[in-house]
Amino acid sequence: MMIDYDEFSMFGENISEYSLKVSARPKVERVSCSLSDGRTLSALQWGIQSPEIVFVHGSAQNAHTWDTVILAMGISALAIDLPGHGHSSWRSDGNYEPSVLASDVATAIETWAPKTRLVVGMSLGGLTTLALAGQRSDLVSSLVSVDITPGVNSEKAKAITDFVNGPQSFASFEDLLARTIEHNPTRSESSLRRGILHNAKQQTDGTWQWRYDRSTHPSPQDTTKRLERLSALWDVISRLSCHMTLVRGGTSPVVDDADVAELKRRKPDCDVIVVDGAGHSVQGDKPVELADALTRILAD
């Protein structure tokens, strides 16, 4: 059976599940722009004003991962689909490292959110926005990294990569949902169901495939090398001129105490917020708490 999908039809579920106080249906539109190499970059633009906040998702996610957070904040925002994810084009070279992705995020901000006051990135998105702050400090006045530092390694990220490196296709939606639930024990089934509809596509034969680019998925050995290259971003943190906040998932293994200590050594004025009960995907596990934290940061 084919399942109908309308990416703007499920906001009512987000609102109901988290008892959000939303007075009217939010104005959300999908926007896209052409990049110099012919690729398309896509994003969700929330509200009628110029976005005050920009969100960048993690690996194997998409812009809709921020839906509940943005609904809870009730703010004009831009949520970007990174290249190779969501509705953005895949890269022919398969290079999705933060230093490469940062230039596309810069284009998105210049195009749709030139007045943004806060840039928020989670996991791969957090490393990408950190690289962006190093390359284009004029675009980042305040930075929030969600459960990620350059200290991430294969061991810390194992639970995530085990899920991402799983099958590309599934015989049914139920099979895909079952695997997703298995690897995301802190999330509600309803939120995972919505997430799959946004992050996978049903094929004409009824099977399901992930939307994100896995065609050049790195081997475990190459993944280790890529993670080692991320350590250069510690030097970016040392040079940051903007304010930085780390939001750490209270139950996540991805950021440990040693990472926080190194972060504070590199940037002593960095704020650290721990969200109790949240795993790596803080926006999925505790979206209202994350929204509250971001609202406070914007108010400072």
Side-chain angles (χ1 to χ4, degrees), residues 13 43 58 61 74 76 78 101 103 105 119 127 139 143 148 157 192 197 199 231 234-235 237 269 276 294-295:
E13 294 183 18
Q61 297 181 341
S76 295
L78 182 75
L101 299 178
S103 63
V105 174
V119 177
L127 296 170
L139 298 179
L143 178 68
I148 196 68
L192 292 175
L197 290 172
N199 210 27
S231 63
W234 282 121
D235 292 332
I237 291 175
D269 63 346
D276 292 336
L294 296 176
T295 299

Side-chain angles (χ1 to χ4, degrees), residues 5 25 59 82 109 122 139 159 168 180 187 196 203 216 242 247 249 263 285 291 297:
Y5 171 65
R25 178 184 173 87
S59 178
L82 284 173
I109 293 175
M122 178 263 175
L139 298 179
Q168 163 65 16
T180 305
R187 297 277 300 279
I196 291 172
Q203 307 301 299
T216 57
C242 68
V247 176
L263 177 63
D285 294 341
I297 292 170

Side-chain angles (χ1 to χ4, degrees), residues 25-39:
R25 178 184 173 87
K27 183 182 186 303
V28 190
E29 64 174 331
R30 181 160 290 282
V31 294
S32 62
C33 69
S34 297
L35 301 172
S36 60
D37 60 0
R39 289 180 296 117

Side-chain angles (χ1 to χ4, degrees), residues 33 35 50 54 66 85 113 131 154 175 213 229 240 282-283:
C33 69
L35 301 172
S50 181
V54 171
W66 304 105
H85 298 75
S154 298
D175 290 344
D213 185 3
R229 288 196 290 273
L240 277 183
V282 180
Q283 75 277 10

Side-chain angles (χ1 to χ4, degrees), residues 52-75:
E52 294 185 66
I53 184 169
V54 171
F55 291 95
V56 186
H57 62 77
S59 178
Q61 297 181 341
N62 64 88
H64 280 289
T65 192
W66 304 105
D67 285 354
T68 305
V69 175
I70 298 172
L71 285 165
M73 294 183 74
I75 195 170

